[in-house]
Amino acid sequence: MNAYDDYMKGIVKPMREELAQNGFTELTTAEAVEETMKTLEGTALVVINSVCGCAAGLARPAVREALQEAEHKPNHLFTVFAGQDKEATAMMREYFPEVPPSSPSIALWKDGALAYFIPREQIENFEMGQIKDHLSEVLDQVCK
């Protein structure tokens, strides 16, 4: 491990904890993603986390608030961290190959398939409340 890796681990620690403290299971290896996804039943919300400002100021807060407000919640909450857990992120993206890679992004998984995807383009340059409302609507539709 070099000084850069140590530095980045310290920087991203609170970014990881923000989701983990809100019930998300962090998948940090390709093996963990594969094992989780191949046995997954029901619904899951997957956040592809990122160090960027739109993840910190928009995506993570919108996800937290949408989950607090949603009448229907997913059975599972997972996160992978783009740019940090590269193999895990690449493996997760293999589960929705029709979607171009983007981070941050939010995927809803239902009954073994991608049910809905919110890419960075629908996060960046939007208000946090708009993203929260969008996700809340999707949660209520997909997780009924």
Side-chain angles (χ1 to χ4, degrees):
M1 177 107 14
N2 63 34
Y4 174 79
D5 291 334
D6 286 341
Y7 174 78
M8 287 308 295
K9 280 188 176 195
I11 293 289
V12 302
K13 188 174 191 272
M15 298 174 199
R16 291 178 181 277
E17 289 173 351
E18 186 173 354
L19 291 175
Q21 290 170 352
N22 284 278
F24 282 79
T25 299
E26 250 194 313
L27 304 173
T28 59
T29 66
E31 296 78 19
V33 170
E34 194 169 29
E35 187 62 33
T36 297
M37 296 303 283
K38 75 179 182 185
T39 60
L40 188 61
E41 294 183 5
T43 56
L45 178 66
V46 179
V47 174
I48 298 181
N49 202 354
S50 173
V51 297
C52 71
C54 62
L58 300 171
R60 291 191 302 267
V63 166
R64 277 195 334 267
E65 289 191 21
L67 286 168
Q68 289 172 355
E69 292 180 8
E71 184 178 340
H72 300 96
K73 295 176 178 28
N75 305 111
H76 309 279
L77 303 172
F78 299 110
T79 182
V80 294
F81 207 117
Q84 300 301 305
D85 301 321
K86 294 176 181 151
E87 295 82 11
T89 304
M91 179 59 72
M92 183 59 77
R93 287 178 172 151
E94 286 185 23
Y95 285 90
F96 27 91
E98 67 278 16
V99 178
S102 113
S103 58
S105 56
I106 304 163
L108 270 150
W109 192 260
K110 182 176 183 175
D111 300 328
L114 181 65
Y116 199 86
F117 192 83
I118 300 175
R120 179 186 178 109
E121 293 77 34
Q122 293 178 19
I123 296 171
E124 190 176 40
N125 299 319
F126 284 83
E127 296 291 324
M128 194 280 294
Q130 292 174 299
I131 302 159
K132 175 197 59 105
D133 291 345
H134 181 184
L135 181 56
S136 292
E137 289 173 22
V138 172
L139 288 169
D140 284 339
Q141 291 170 12
V142 173
C143 299
K144 282 186 191 180

